[in-house]
Coordinates of all heavy atoms in Angstrom, one line a residue:
M1 N -20.1 -10.1 14.5 CA -19.6 -9.0 13.7 C -20.7 -8.8 12.5 O -21.1 -9.8 11.9 CB -18.3 -9.4 13.1 CG -17.7 -8.3 12.2 SD -16.0 -8.7 11.6 CE -15.1 -9.0 13.1
N2 N -21.0 -7.5 12.2 CA -22.0 -7.3 11.2 C -21.3 -7.4 9.8 O -20.1 -7.3 9.6 CB -22.7 -6.0 11.4 CG -21.8 -4.8 11.4 OD1 -20.7 -4.8 10.9 ND2 -22.2 -3.7 12.0
T3 N -22.1 -7.5 8.8 CA -21.7 -7.7 7.4 C -20.8 -6.6 6.9 O -19.8 -6.9 6.3 CB -22.9 -7.9 6.5 OG1 -23.6 -9.1 7.0 CG2 -22.4 -8.3 5.1
P4 N -21.2 -5.3 7.0 CA -20.3 -4.2 6.5 C -18.9 -4.3 7.1 O -17.9 -4.1 6.4 CB -21.0 -2.9 6.9 CG -22.4 -3.3 7.0 CD -22.4 -4.7 7.6
K5 N -18.8 -4.6 8.4 CA -17.4 -4.6 9.0 C -16.7 -5.8 8.4 O -15.5 -5.7 8.2 CB -17.6 -4.8 10.5 CG -17.9 -3.5 11.2 CD -17.9 -3.7 12.7 CE -18.3 -2.4 13.4 NZ -18.4 -2.5 14.9
L6 N -17.3 -6.9 8.3 CA -16.6 -8.1 7.7 C -16.2 -7.8 6.3 O -15.0 -8.2 5.9 CB -17.6 -9.3 7.8 CG -17.0 -10.6 7.2 CD1 -15.8 -11.0 8.0 CD2 -18.1 -11.7 7.3
I7 N -17.0 -7.2 5.5 CA -16.6 -6.9 4.1 C -15.4 -5.9 4.1 O -14.5 -6.1 3.3 CB -17.8 -6.3 3.3 CG1 -18.9 -7.4 3.1 CG2 -17.4 -5.6 2.0 CD1 -20.2 -6.9 2.6
F8 N -15.4 -4.9 5.0 CA -14.3 -4.0 5.1 C -13.0 -4.7 5.5 O -12.0 -4.5 4.9 CB -14.7 -2.9 6.2 CG -13.5 -1.9 6.4 CD1 -13.3 -1.0 5.4 CD2 -12.8 -1.9 7.5 CE1 -12.3 -0.1 5.6 CE2 -11.7 -1.0 7.7 CZ -11.5 -0.1 6.7
I9 N -13.1 -5.6 6.5 CA -11.9 -6.4 6.9 C -11.4 -7.2 5.7 O -10.2 -7.3 5.5 CB -12.2 -7.2 8.1 CG1 -12.4 -6.3 9.3 CG2 -11.1 -8.2 8.4 CD1 -13.0 -6.9 10.6
I10 N -12.3 -7.9 5.0 CA -11.9 -8.7 3.9 C -11.2 -7.9 2.8 O -10.2 -8.2 2.2 CB -13.0 -9.5 3.3 CG1 -13.5 -10.6 4.3 CG2 -12.7 -10.2 2.0 CD1 -14.8 -11.3 4.0
Y11 N -11.8 -6.7 2.5 CA -11.3 -5.8 1.5 C -9.9 -5.3 1.9 O -8.9 -5.3 1.1 CB -12.2 -4.6 1.3 CG -11.5 -3.5 0.5 CD1 -11.5 -3.7 -0.9 CD2 -10.9 -2.4 1.0 CE1 -10.8 -2.8 -1.7 CE2 -10.3 -1.4 0.2 CZ -10.3 -1.6 -1.1 OH -9.7 -0.7 -1.9
I12 N -9.7 -4.9 3.2 CA -8.4 -4.4 3.6 C -7.3 -5.5 3.6 O -6.2 -5.3 3.1 CB -8.5 -3.8 5.1 CG1 -9.3 -2.5 5.1 CG2 -7.1 -3.6 5.7 CD1 -8.7 -1.4 4.2
A13 N -7.7 -6.7 3.9 CA -6.8 -7.9 3.8 C -6.4 -8.1 2.4 O -5.2 -8.3 2.1 CB -7.4 -9.1 4.4
F14 N -7.4 -8.1 1.5 CA -7.2 -8.3 0.1 C -6.3 -7.2 -0.5 O -5.3 -7.5 -1.2 CB -8.5 -8.4 -0.7 CG -8.3 -8.4 -2.2 CD1 -7.9 -9.5 -2.9 CD2 -8.4 -7.2 -3.0 CE1 -7.6 -9.6 -4.2 CE2 -8.2 -7.2 -4.3 CZ -7.8 -8.4 -5.0
I15 N -6.6 -6.0 -0.3 CA -5.8 -4.9 -0.9 C -4.4 -4.8 -0.4 O -3.4 -4.5 -1.1 CB -6.5 -3.5 -0.8 CG1 -5.9 -2.5 -1.8 CG2 -6.4 -3.0 0.6 CD1 -6.3 -2.7 -3.2
N16 N -4.2 -5.2 0.9 CA -2.8 -5.3 1.4 C -2.0 -6.4 0.9 O -0.8 -6.3 0.6 CB -2.8 -5.2 3.0 CG -3.0 -3.8 3.5 OD1 -2.0 -3.1 3.6 ND2 -4.2 -3.4 3.8
A17 N -2.7 -7.6 0.7 CA -2.0 -8.7 0.1 C -1.6 -8.4 -1.4 O -0.5 -8.7 -1.8 CB -3.0 -9.9 0.1
L18 N -2.5 -7.7 -2.1 CA -2.2 -7.2 -3.4 C -1.0 -6.2 -3.4 O -0.1 -6.3 -4.2 CB -3.4 -6.5 -4.0 CG -3.2 -5.9 -5.4 CD1 -3.0 -7.0 -6.5 CD2 -4.4 -5.1 -5.8
A19 N -1.0 -5.3 -2.4 CA 0.1 -4.4 -2.3 C 1.4 -5.1 -2.1 O 2.4 -4.7 -2.7 CB -0.2 -3.4 -1.2
I20 N 1.4 -6.1 -1.2 CA 2.6 -6.8 -1.0 C 3.1 -7.5 -2.2 O 4.3 -7.5 -2.6 CB 2.4 -7.8 0.2 CG1 2.2 -7.1 1.5 CG2 3.5 -8.8 0.3 CD1 1.6 -7.9 2.6
A21 N 2.2 -8.2 -2.9 CA 2.5 -9.0 -4.1 C 3.1 -8.0 -5.2 O 4.1 -8.4 -5.9 CB 1.3 -9.7 -4.6
V22 N 2.4 -6.9 -5.4 CA 2.9 -6.0 -6.5 C 4.2 -5.4 -6.1 O 5.1 -5.2 -7.0 CB 1.8 -4.9 -6.7 CG1 2.3 -3.8 -7.5 CG2 0.5 -5.5 -7.3
T23 N 4.5 -5.1 -4.9 CA 5.8 -4.5 -4.5 C 6.9 -5.5 -4.6 O 7.9 -5.2 -5.2 CB 5.7 -4.0 -3.0 OG1 4.6 -3.1 -2.8 CG2 7.0 -3.4 -2.6
V24 N 6.6 -6.8 -4.3 CA 7.6 -7.8 -4.4 C 7.9 -8.1 -5.9 O 9.0 -8.2 -6.4 CB 7.2 -9.1 -3.7 CG1 8.1 -10.3 -4.1 CG2 7.2 -8.9 -2.2
L25 N 6.8 -8.1 -6.7 CA 6.9 -8.2 -8.2 C 7.8 -7.1 -8.8 O 8.6 -7.4 -9.6 CB 5.6 -8.3 -8.8 CG 5.6 -8.5 -10.4 CD1 6.2 -9.8 -10.8 CD2 4.1 -8.4 -10.9
D26 N 7.5 -5.9 -8.4 CA 8.3 -4.8 -8.9 C 9.8 -4.9 -8.5 O 10.6 -4.6 -9.3 CB 7.7 -3.4 -8.4 CG 8.3 -2.2 -9.2 OD1 8.3 -2.3 -10.4 OD2 8.8 -1.3 -8.5
K27 N 10.0 -5.3 -7.3 CA 11.4 -5.5 -6.9 C 12.1 -6.6 -7.7 O 13.2 -6.4 -8.2 CB 11.5 -5.9 -5.4 CG 12.8 -6.3 -4.9 CD 13.8 -5.1 -4.8 CE 15.1 -5.6 -4.1 NZ 15.9 -4.5 -3.7
Y28 N 11.4 -7.7 -8.0 CA 11.9 -8.8 -8.8 C 12.2 -8.2 -10.2 O 13.3 -8.5 -10.8 CB 10.9 -9.9 -8.9 CG 11.3 -11.0 -9.8 CD1 12.2 -12.0 -9.4 CD2 10.8 -11.0 -11.2 CE1 12.5 -13.0 -10.3 CE2 11.2 -12.0 -12.0 CZ 12.0 -13.0 -11.6 OH 12.4 -13.9 -12.5
K29 N 11.3 -7.5 -10.8 CA 11.5 -6.9 -12.1 C 12.6 -6.0 -12.2 O 13.4 -5.9 -13.1 CB 10.2 -6.3 -12.6 CG 9.1 -7.3 -13.0 CD 7.9 -6.7 -13.4 CE 6.9 -7.7 -13.8 NZ 6.5 -7.6 -15.2
A30 N 12.8 -5.2 -11.1 CA 13.9 -4.2 -11.0 C 15.3 -5.0 -11.0 O 16.2 -4.6 -11.8 CB 13.8 -3.3 -9.8
V31 N 15.4 -6.0 -10.2 CA 16.6 -6.8 -10.1 C 16.9 -7.4 -11.5 O 18.1 -7.5 -11.8 CB 16.5 -7.8 -9.0 CG1 17.6 -8.8 -9.0 CG2 16.4 -7.1 -7.7
H32 N 15.9 -7.9 -12.2 CA 16.1 -8.6 -13.4 C 16.0 -7.7 -14.7 O 15.9 -8.2 -15.8 CB 15.1 -9.8 -13.5 CG 15.4 -10.9 -12.5 ND1 14.9 -10.9 -11.3 CD2 16.3 -11.9 -12.6 CE1 15.4 -11.9 -10.6 NE2 16.2 -12.6 -11.4
H33 N 16.0 -6.4 -14.5 CA 16.0 -5.4 -15.6 C 14.8 -5.7 -16.5 O 15.0 -5.7 -17.8 CB 17.3 -5.4 -16.3 CG 18.5 -5.2 -15.4 ND1 18.8 -4.0 -14.8 CD2 19.4 -6.1 -15.0 CE1 19.8 -4.1 -14.1 NE2 20.3 -5.4 -14.1
K34 N 13.7 -5.9 -16.0 CA 12.5 -6.1 -16.8 C 11.5 -4.9 -16.7 O 11.8 -4.0 -15.9 CB 11.8 -7.4 -16.4 CG 12.6 -8.6 -16.6 CD 11.9 -9.9 -16.4 CE 12.8 -11.0 -16.7 NZ 12.2 -12.1 -17.3
W35 N 10.4 -5.0 -17.5 CA 9.4 -4.0 -17.4 C 8.9 -3.8 -16.0 O 8.7 -4.7 -15.3 CB 8.3 -4.4 -18.3 CG 7.0 -3.6 -18.1 CD1 6.7 -2.4 -18.7 CD2 5.9 -3.9 -17.3 NE1 5.5 -2.0 -18.3 CE2 5.0 -2.9 -17.4 CE3 5.6 -5.0 -16.5 CZ2 3.7 -2.9 -16.8 CZ3 4.4 -5.0 -15.8 CH2 3.5 -4.0 -15.9
R36 N 8.8 -2.5 -15.6 CA 8.5 -2.2 -14.2 C 7.0 -1.8 -14.0 O 6.4 -1.3 -15.0 CB 9.4 -1.1 -13.7 CG 10.9 -1.4 -13.8 CD 11.3 -2.2 -12.7 NE 11.1 -1.7 -11.4 CZ 11.8 -0.7 -10.8 NH1 12.8 -0.2 -11.4 NH2 11.4 -0.3 -9.6
I37 N 6.6 -1.8 -12.8 CA 5.2 -1.3 -12.5 C 5.3 0.2 -12.2 O 6.3 0.6 -11.5 CB 4.7 -2.1 -11.2 CG1 4.6 -3.6 -11.6 CG2 3.4 -1.5 -10.8 CD1 4.4 -4.5 -10.4
R38 N 4.4 0.9 -12.8 CA 4.5 2.4 -12.6 C 4.3 2.8 -11.2 O 3.6 2.2 -10.4 CB 3.3 3.0 -13.4 CG 3.4 2.9 -14.9 CD 2.2 3.6 -15.5 NE 2.2 3.4 -16.9 CZ 2.4 4.4 -17.8 NH1 2.5 5.6 -17.3 NH2 2.4 4.2 -19.1
E39 N 5.1 3.8 -10.8 CA 5.0 4.3 -9.4 C 3.6 4.8 -9.1 O 3.1 4.7 -8.0 CB 6.0 5.4 -9.2 CG 7.5 4.9 -9.1 CD 8.5 6.0 -8.7 OE1 8.1 7.2 -8.7 OE2 9.6 5.6 -8.4
S40 N 2.9 5.4 -10.1 CA 1.6 5.9 -9.9 C 0.6 4.7 -9.5 O -0.3 4.9 -8.7 CB 1.1 6.6 -11.1 OG 1.1 5.8 -12.3
A41 N 0.9 3.5 -10.1 CA 0.0 2.4 -9.8 C 0.3 1.9 -8.3 O -0.6 1.6 -7.6 CB 0.3 1.2 -10.7
L42 N 1.6 2.0 -7.9 CA 1.9 1.6 -6.5 C 1.2 2.6 -5.5 O 0.7 2.2 -4.5 CB 3.4 1.6 -6.3 CG 4.2 0.6 -7.2 CD1 5.7 0.8 -7.0 CD2 3.8 -0.8 -6.8
I43 N 1.3 3.9 -5.9 CA 0.7 4.9 -5.0 C -0.8 4.7 -5.0 O -1.5 4.8 -3.9 CB 1.1 6.3 -5.5 CG1 2.6 6.5 -5.3 CG2 0.3 7.4 -4.7 CD1 3.1 6.5 -3.9
L44 N -1.4 4.4 -6.1 CA -2.9 4.2 -6.2 C -3.3 3.0 -5.3 O -4.3 3.1 -4.6 CB -3.3 3.9 -7.6 CG -4.8 3.6 -7.8 CD1 -5.7 4.8 -7.3 CD2 -5.1 3.3 -9.2
I45 N -2.5 1.9 -5.3 CA -2.8 0.8 -4.4 C -2.8 1.2 -2.9 O -3.6 0.8 -2.1 CB -1.9 -0.4 -4.7 CG1 -2.2 -0.9 -6.1 CG2 -2.1 -1.5 -3.7 CD1 -1.2 -2.0 -6.6
S46 N -1.8 2.1 -2.6 CA -1.7 2.6 -1.3 C -2.9 3.5 -0.9 O -3.5 3.4 0.2 CB -0.5 3.5 -1.1 OG 0.7 2.7 -1.2
L47 N -3.4 4.3 -1.9 CA -4.5 5.2 -1.6 C -5.8 4.3 -1.5 O -6.7 4.7 -0.8 CB -4.7 6.1 -2.8 CG -3.7 7.3 -2.8 CD1 -3.8 8.0 -4.2 CD2 -4.0 8.3 -1.7
L48 N -5.8 3.2 -2.1 CA -7.0 2.3 -2.0 C -7.0 1.5 -0.8 O -7.9 0.7 -0.6 CB -7.1 1.4 -3.3 CG -7.4 2.1 -4.6 CD1 -7.3 1.2 -5.7 CD2 -8.7 2.8 -4.5
G49 N -6.0 1.6 0.1 CA -6.0 0.9 1.4 C -4.9 0.0 1.6 O -4.8 -0.6 2.7
G50 N -4.0 -0.1 0.6 CA -2.9 -1.1 0.8 C -1.6 -0.5 1.2 O -0.5 -1.1 1.1
G51 N -1.7 0.7 1.8 CA -0.5 1.4 2.3 C 0.4 0.7 3.3 O 1.6 0.6 3.2
A52 N -0.3 0.1 4.3 CA 0.4 -0.6 5.4 C 1.2 -1.7 4.8 O 2.4 -1.9 5.1 CB -0.5 -1.0 6.5
G53 N 0.6 -2.6 4.0 CA 1.3 -3.7 3.4 C 2.4 -3.3 2.5 O 3.5 -3.9 2.6
M54 N 2.2 -2.2 1.7 CA 3.2 -1.8 0.8 C 4.4 -1.2 1.6 O 5.6 -1.5 1.3 CB 2.7 -0.8 -0.2 CG 3.7 -0.4 -1.2 SD 3.0 0.6 -2.5 CE 1.9 -0.6 -3.3
Y55 N 4.1 -0.4 2.6 CA 5.2 0.3 3.3 C 6.1 -0.7 4.1 O 7.3 -0.7 4.0 CB 4.6 1.3 4.3 CG 5.6 2.1 5.0 CD1 6.4 3.1 4.3 CD2 5.9 1.9 6.4 CE1 7.4 3.8 5.0 CE2 6.9 2.7 7.0 CZ 7.6 3.6 6.3 OH 8.6 4.3 6.9
L56 N 5.4 -1.7 4.7 CA 6.2 -2.7 5.4 C 7.0 -3.5 4.5 O 8.2 -3.9 4.8 CB 5.3 -3.6 6.3 CG 4.6 -2.9 7.5 CD1 3.6 -3.8 8.2 CD2 5.7 -2.4 8.5
T57 N 6.4 -3.8 3.3 CA 7.2 -4.6 2.3 C 8.4 -3.9 1.8 O 9.4 -4.4 1.6 CB 6.2 -5.1 1.2 OG1 5.1 -5.7 1.7 CG2 6.9 -6.0 0.2
T58 N 8.2 -2.6 1.5 CA 9.3 -1.8 1.0 C 10.5 -1.8 2.0 O 11.6 -1.8 1.6 CB 8.9 -0.3 0.7 OG1 8.5 0.3 1.9 CG2 7.9 -0.2 -0.4
L59 N 10.1 -1.8 3.3 CA 11.2 -1.8 4.3 C 11.9 -3.1 4.4 O 13.1 -3.2 4.5 CB 10.6 -1.4 5.7 CG 10.1 0.0 5.8 CD1 9.5 0.2 7.2 CD2 11.2 1.1 5.5
V60 N 11.1 -4.2 4.3 CA 11.6 -5.6 4.5 C 12.5 -5.9 3.3 O 13.6 -6.5 3.4 CB 10.5 -6.6 4.6 CG1 11.0 -8.0 4.5 CG2 9.8 -6.4 6.0
I61 N 12.0 -5.6 2.0 CA 12.8 -6.0 0.9 C 13.7 -4.9 0.3 O 14.4 -5.1 -0.7 CB 11.9 -6.6 -0.3 CG1 11.0 -5.5 -0.8 CG2 11.1 -7.8 0.2 CD1 10.2 -5.9 -2.1
R62 N 13.7 -3.8 1.0 CA 14.5 -2.6 0.7 C 14.3 -2.2 -0.8 O 15.2 -2.2 -1.6 CB 16.0 -2.9 1.0 CG 16.2 -3.1 2.5 CD 17.4 -3.8 2.9 NE 18.6 -2.9 2.5 CZ 19.8 -3.3 2.7 NH1 20.1 -4.4 3.2 NH2 20.8 -2.5 2.3
H63 N 13.1 -1.9 -1.0 CA 12.7 -1.4 -2.4 C 12.0 -0.1 -2.3 O 11.1 0.1 -1.5 CB 11.7 -2.5 -3.0 CG 11.3 -2.2 -4.4 ND1 12.3 -2.1 -5.4 CD2 10.1 -2.1 -5.0 CE1 11.6 -1.9 -6.5 NE2 10.3 -1.8 -6.3
K64 N 12.5 0.9 -3.1 CA 11.9 2.2 -3.1 C 12.2 3.0 -1.9 O 11.6 4.0 -1.6 CB 10.4 2.2 -3.4 CG 10.0 1.5 -4.6 CD 10.1 2.4 -5.8 CE 9.5 1.8 -7.0 NZ 9.9 2.5 -8.2
T65 N 13.2 2.6 -1.1 CA 13.5 3.2 0.2 C 14.2 4.6 0.0 O 14.3 5.3 0.9 CB 14.3 2.3 1.1 OG1 15.5 1.9 0.4 CG2 13.5 1.1 1.5
K66 N 14.7 4.8 -1.2 CA 15.4 6.1 -1.4 C 14.4 7.2 -2.0 O 14.8 8.3 -2.3 CB 16.6 5.9 -2.4 CG 17.7 5.1 -1.7 CD 18.9 5.0 -2.6 CE 20.0 4.1 -1.9 NZ 21.1 3.9 -2.8
H67 N 13.2 6.8 -2.2 CA 12.2 7.7 -2.8 C 11.3 8.3 -1.7 O 10.6 7.6 -1.0 CB 11.3 6.9 -3.8 CG 12.0 6.3 -5.0 ND1 12.1 6.9 -6.2 CD2 12.8 5.2 -5.1 CE1 12.8 6.2 -7.0 NE2 13.2 5.1 -6.4
L68 N 11.4 9.6 -1.6 CA 10.6 10.3 -0.6 C 9.1 10.0 -0.8 O 8.3 10.0 0.2 CB 10.9 11.8 -0.6 CG 12.1 12.2 0.1 CD1 12.3 13.7 0.0 CD2 12.2 11.8 1.6
K69 N 8.7 9.9 -2.1 CA 7.3 9.6 -2.4 C 6.8 8.4 -1.7 O 5.7 8.3 -1.3 CB 7.2 9.4 -3.9 CG 5.9 9.2 -4.5 CD 5.9 8.9 -6.0 CE 6.7 9.9 -6.8 NZ 6.6 9.6 -8.2
F70 N 7.7 7.4 -1.5 CA 7.3 6.2 -0.8 C 7.6 6.2 0.7 O 6.8 5.8 1.5 CB 8.0 5.0 -1.4 CG 7.4 4.7 -2.8 CD1 8.0 5.3 -3.9 CD2 6.3 3.9 -3.0 CE1 7.4 5.1 -5.2 CE2 5.8 3.6 -4.2 CZ 6.3 4.2 -5.3
M71 N 8.7 6.8 1.1 CA 9.1 6.7 2.5 C 8.3 7.8 3.3 O 8.2 7.6 4.5 CB 10.6 7.0 2.7 CG 11.4 5.8 2.1 SD 11.1 4.2 3.0 CE 9.9 3.4 2.0
L72 N 7.9 8.9 2.7 CA 7.1 9.9 3.4 C 5.6 9.9 3.0 O 4.7 10.1 3.8 CB 7.7 11.3 3.3 CG 9.1 11.5 3.9 CD1 9.6 12.9 3.6 CD2 9.0 11.2 5.4
G73 N 5.5 9.6 1.7 CA 4.1 9.7 1.1 C 3.2 8.6 1.6 O 2.0 8.9 2.0
I74 N 3.7 7.4 1.6 CA 2.8 6.3 2.0 C 2.5 6.4 3.5 O 1.3 6.2 3.9 CB 3.4 4.9 1.6 CG1 3.4 4.8 0.1 CG2 2.7 3.8 2.3 CD1 4.0 3.5 -0.4
P75 N 3.4 6.7 4.4 CA 3.0 6.9 5.8 C 2.0 8.0 6.0 O 1.1 7.9 6.8 CB 4.3 7.2 6.5 CG 5.4 6.5 5.7 CD 4.9 6.7 4.3
L76 N 2.1 9.1 5.2 CA 1.2 10.2 5.2 C -0.2 9.7 4.8 O -1.2 10.0 5.4 CB 1.6 11.3 4.4 CG 0.7 12.6 4.3 CD1 0.6 13.1 5.7 CD2 1.3 13.6 3.4
I77 N -0.3 8.9 3.7 CA -1.5 8.3 3.3 C -2.1 7.5 4.4 O -3.3 7.6 4.7 CB -1.3 7.5 2.0 CG1 -1.0 8.4 0.8 CG2 -2.5 6.6 1.7 CD1 -0.5 7.6 -0.4
I78 N -1.3 6.6 5.0 CA -1.8 5.8 6.1 C -2.4 6.6 7.3 O -3.4 6.4 7.8 CB -0.7 4.8 6.6 CG1 -0.3 3.8 5.5 CG2 -1.2 4.1 7.9 CD1 1.0 3.1 5.8
L79 N -1.7 7.7 7.6 CA -2.1 8.6 8.7 C -3.4 9.3 8.3 O -4.3 9.3 9.2 CB -1.0 9.6 8.9 CG -1.3 10.6 10.1 CD1 -1.3 9.9 11.4 CD2 -0.2 11.7 10.1
L80 N -3.5 9.8 7.1 CA -4.8 10.4 6.7 C -5.9 9.4 6.7 O -7.1 9.8 7.1 CB -4.6 11.1 5.4 CG -3.7 12.3 5.4 CD1 -3.4 12.8 3.9 CD2 -4.2 13.4 6.2
Q81 N -5.7 8.2 6.2 CA -6.8 7.2 6.1 C -7.2 6.8 7.6 O -8.4 6.6 7.8 CB -6.3 6.0 5.4 CG -6.2 6.2 3.9 CD -5.6 5.1 3.1 OE1 -4.9 4.3 3.7 NE2 -5.9 5.1 1.8
T82 N -6.2 6.7 8.5 CA -6.5 6.4 9.8 C -7.4 7.5 10.5 O -8.3 7.2 11.2 CB -5.2 6.1 10.6 OG1 -4.5 5.0 10.0 CG2 -5.5 5.7 12.1
A83 N -7.0 8.7 10.3 CA -7.7 9.8 10.8 C -9.1 9.9 10.3 O -10.1 10.1 11.0 CB -7.0 11.2 10.5
L84 N -9.3 9.6 9.0 CA -10.6 9.6 8.3 C -11.5 8.5 8.9 O -12.6 8.7 9.2 CB -10.5 9.5 6.8 CG -11.8 9.4 6.0 CD1 -12.6 10.7 6.2 CD2 -11.5 9.2 4.6
L85 N -10.9 7.3 9.0 CA -11.6 6.2 9.6 C -12.0 6.4 11.0 O -13.2 6.1 11.4 CB -10.8 4.9 9.4 CG -11.5 3.6 9.9 CD1 -12.7 3.3 9.1 CD2 -10.5 2.5 9.8
T86 N -11.1 7.0 11.8 CA -11.4 7.4 13.2 C -12.6 8.4 13.3 O -13.5 8.2 14.0 CB -10.2 7.9 13.9 OG1 -9.2 6.9 13.8 CG2 -10.5 8.2 15.3
A87 N -12.5 9.4 12.4 CA -13.5 10.4 12.4 C -14.9 9.9 12.0 O -15.9 10.2 12.7 CB -13.2 11.6 11.5
V88 N -14.9 9.0 11.0 CA -16.2 8.4 10.6 C -16.7 7.5 11.7 O -17.9 7.5 12.0 CB -16.0 7.6 9.3 CG1 -17.1 6.7 9.0 CG2 -15.7 8.6 8.1
T89 N -15.8 6.8 12.3 CA -16.2 5.8 13.4 C -16.8 6.6 14.6 O -17.8 6.3 15.2 CB -15.1 4.9 13.8 OG1 -14.6 4.2 12.7 CG2 -15.5 4.0 14.9
L90 N -16.1 7.7 15.0 CA -16.5 8.4 16.2 C -17.7 9.4 15.9 O -18.6 9.5 16.8 CB -15.3 9.2 16.7 CG -14.2 8.4 17.3 CD1 -13.0 9.3 17.7 CD2 -14.6 7.6 18.5
Y91 N -17.7 10.0 14.8 CA -18.7 11.1 14.6 C -19.7 10.8 13.5 O -20.6 11.6 13.3 CB -17.9 12.4 14.2 CG -16.9 12.8 15.2 CD1 -15.5 12.7 14.9 CD2 -17.3 13.2 16.5 CE1 -14.6 13.1 15.8 CE2 -16.3 13.6 17.4 CZ -15.0 13.5 17.1 OH -14.1 13.8 18.0
G92 N -19.6 9.6 12.9 CA -20.5 9.3 11.8 C -21.8 8.7 12.2 O -22.6 8.3 11.4
K93 N -22.0 8.6 13.5 CA -23.2 7.9 14.0 C -24.4 8.9 14.2 O -24.3 10.0 14.5 CB -22.9 7.2 15.3 CG -22.0 6.0 15.1 CD -21.7 5.3 16.3 CE -20.8 4.1 16.1 NZ -20.5 3.3 17.2

């Protein structure tokens, strides 16, 4: 495996782990009536590549599941990122 691919895989693993941690932390804070993480920060993490981890975590811990921004927006982000990655992979050579 070449270095750029390895760096990309490490980045995706890191950003998804971060997305999972931040989503769980926000759920914890919501349950305990504490200061919350901004929805814009959660969406930004999804845009940076953490959408899959965040979306799966929201479903598992049932957090933000009533918000269309998360239930439709994050899958749309994942779909667009997948399409972009596919296009770059297929046509970027």
